[in-house]
């Protein structure tokens, strides 16, 4: 039986710089439109979420790929993960340097190795073995991120963060999720947040796909993506499941967070506890863009 395809894309939450808030909805709309093209053409949910996240990794507005924030040493280390709900296969990378599309690398880990997660120099060497071009640091660092790092470093603050992600349901009713991030600005080198940890920042099973954004340490403590999937088991309602998981985080380990969800019927949902989280959802109900 054919299912109406659907996709939801987020562009991160948390303390987003005011100057970029108005531009971000258009970025997530472009990403969602690209992913929905894949679905409408009969592509898989896995292909769709990868394509959508790649769009945001190329846009300097977002904290992923080219727009990633800088760590305490003024360098970029990125994390990403991807998960196929139909098979529960997953791939992830952490603390990767010089790679424009970490989400592509995460999928390559899933499809060509027996592992789920590769980190640090090992992940970077794996990327080179797979033919990924290794970019120079200056090829990824954009002026706005350098200026942000200077401000945050001077203030000795580590509060700014963000992530991008996508969830999709294809014509076969299979769901998938992908998430990518540069992490937390001015983080210690080697710091890894929720994004590459399956069940924390990303989850997909036969019924539901979830991608999270927000304060990684708190999301890890709650295994937030898997918690949302657990809530879905009792409600079969993606919106209620996301809100219940977020409410538990708010009550237990308060921190900025947002979730996007889609189930195998193509029903989309998203929720957040911060003022800003750009989201675009495209389904049989049309297109909804939210700042």
């Amino acid at each position: 039986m054919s299912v109406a395809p659907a996709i939801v894309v987020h562009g991160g939450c948390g303390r987003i710089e005011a100057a970029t808030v108005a531009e971000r909805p258009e970025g997530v709309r472009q990403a969602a439109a690209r992913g929905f093209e894949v679905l409408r053409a009969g592509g898989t949910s896995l292909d769709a979420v990868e394509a959508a996240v790649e769009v945001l990794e190329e846009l300097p507005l977002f904290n992923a790929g080219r727009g990633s924030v800088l760590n305490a040493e003024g360098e970029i280390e990125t994390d990403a993960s991807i998960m196929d709900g139909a098979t529960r296969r997953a791939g992830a990378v952490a603390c990767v340097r010089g790679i424009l599309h970490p989400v592509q690398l995460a999928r390559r880990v899933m499809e060509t190795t027996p592992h789920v997660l590769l980190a640090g120099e090992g992940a970077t060497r794996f990327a080179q073995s797979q033919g990924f071009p290794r970019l120079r640091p200056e090829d990824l660092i954009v002026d706005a991120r350098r200026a942000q790092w200077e401000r945050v470093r001077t203030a000795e603050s580590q509060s700014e963060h963000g992530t991008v992600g996508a969830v999709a349901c294809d014509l076969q009713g299979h769901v998938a999720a992908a998430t990518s991030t540069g992490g937390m600005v001015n983080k210690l080198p080697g710091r890894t947040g929720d994004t590459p940890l399956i069940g924390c920042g990303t989850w997909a099973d036969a019924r539901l796909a979830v991608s999270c954004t927000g304060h990684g340490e708190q999301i890890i403590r709650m295994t937030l993506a898997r918690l949302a999937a657990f809530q879905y088991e009792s409600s079969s309602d993606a919106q209620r499941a996301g809100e219940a998981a977020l409410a538990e985080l708010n009550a237990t380990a308060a921190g900025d967070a947002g979730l996007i969800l889609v189930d195998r019927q193509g029903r989309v949902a998203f929720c957040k506890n911060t003022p800003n989280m750009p989201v675009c959802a495209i389904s049989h109900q049309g297109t909804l863009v939210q700042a």
Side-chain angles (χ1 to χ4, degrees):
M1 182 178 67
S2 180
V3 175
I7 190 167
V8 192
V9 175
H10 73 75
C13 75
R15 291 152 182 81
I16 296 171
E17 296 199 350
T20 69
V21 168
E23 301 173 68
R24 290 171 183 265
E26 174 59 21
V28 295
R29 189 202 64 77
Q30 291 176 15
R34 176 69 188 95
F36 195 73
E37 285 177 11
V38 173
L39 296 172
R40 191 163 50 187
T44 67
S45 55
L46 198 66
D47 290 336
V49 295
E50 180 183 12
V53 169
E54 286 173 4
V55 171
L56 298 182
E57 288 176 335
E58 292 179 1
L59 293 176
L61 279 175
F62 298 95
N63 181 17
R66 194 179 303 282
S68 295
V69 299
L70 280 60
N71 67 15
E73 295 181 352
E75 298 175 336
I76 287 176
E77 293 180 320
T78 58
D79 307 328
S81 63
I82 192 166
M83 189 167 186
D84 180 10
T87 63
R88 292 210 191 183
R89 291 187 307 160
V93 292
C95 300
V96 173
R97 300 186 182 216
I99 301 298
L100 176 59
H101 290 302
V103 71
Q104 287 183 4
L105 187 59
R107 183 167 182 178
R108 200 70 61 87
V109 170
M110 180 184 76
E111 294 182 336
T112 68
T113 81
H115 310 304
V116 170
L117 173 62
L118 294 179
E121 186 57 32
T124 303
R125 289 200 303 268
F126 172 72
Q128 292 174 309
S129 76
Q130 294 291 305
F132 283 73
R134 186 168 183 176
L135 305 179
R136 300 170 301 168
E138 55 267 30
D139 293 330
L140 288 178
I141 297 175
V142 297
D143 291 343
R145 291 302 190 193
R146 176 72 71 181
Q148 176 195 42
W149 177 69
E150 292 288 355
R151 293 195 303 273
V152 173
R153 185 169 63 99
T154 302
E156 297 185 352
S157 168
Q158 295 182 315
S159 62
E160 297 184 51
H161 47 267
T163 302
V164 306
V167 294
C169 176
D170 60 30
L171 291 167
Q172 286 68 48
H174 296 154
V175 297
T179 314
S180 181
T181 189
M184 184 180 291
V185 65
N186 207 38
K187 63 187 179 181
L188 291 176
R191 179 265 183 185
T192 301
D194 64 290
T195 292
L197 303 183
I198 302 302
C200 296
T202 303
W203 178 259
D205 56 29
R207 303 179 66 194
L208 185 74
V210 186
S211 175
C212 301
T213 175
H215 193 287
E217 280 71 13
Q218 301 294 58
I219 291 172
I220 291 169
R221 293 182 177 105
M222 299 299 296
T223 56
L224 188 61
R226 185 64 184 89
L227 177 60
F230 174 77
Q231 295 287 351
Y232 183 85
E233 291 174 11
S234 59
S235 70
S236 296
D237 184 310
Q239 187 66 44
R240 287 177 60 188
E243 290 175 355
L246 189 58
E248 189 165 337
L249 180 142
N250 289 337
T252 308
D256 295 338
L259 305 88
I260 56 173
L261 312 92
V262 67
D263 69 11
R264 62 184 176 183
Q265 282 81 41
R267 296 176 296 197
V268 302
F270 50 89
C271 54
K272 59 185 173 66
N273 64 7
T274 67
N276 299 307
M277 184 179 78
V279 171
C280 180
I282 305 178
S283 69
H284 70 280
Q285 295 178 314
T287 300
L288 173 64
V289 182
Q290 173 183 286

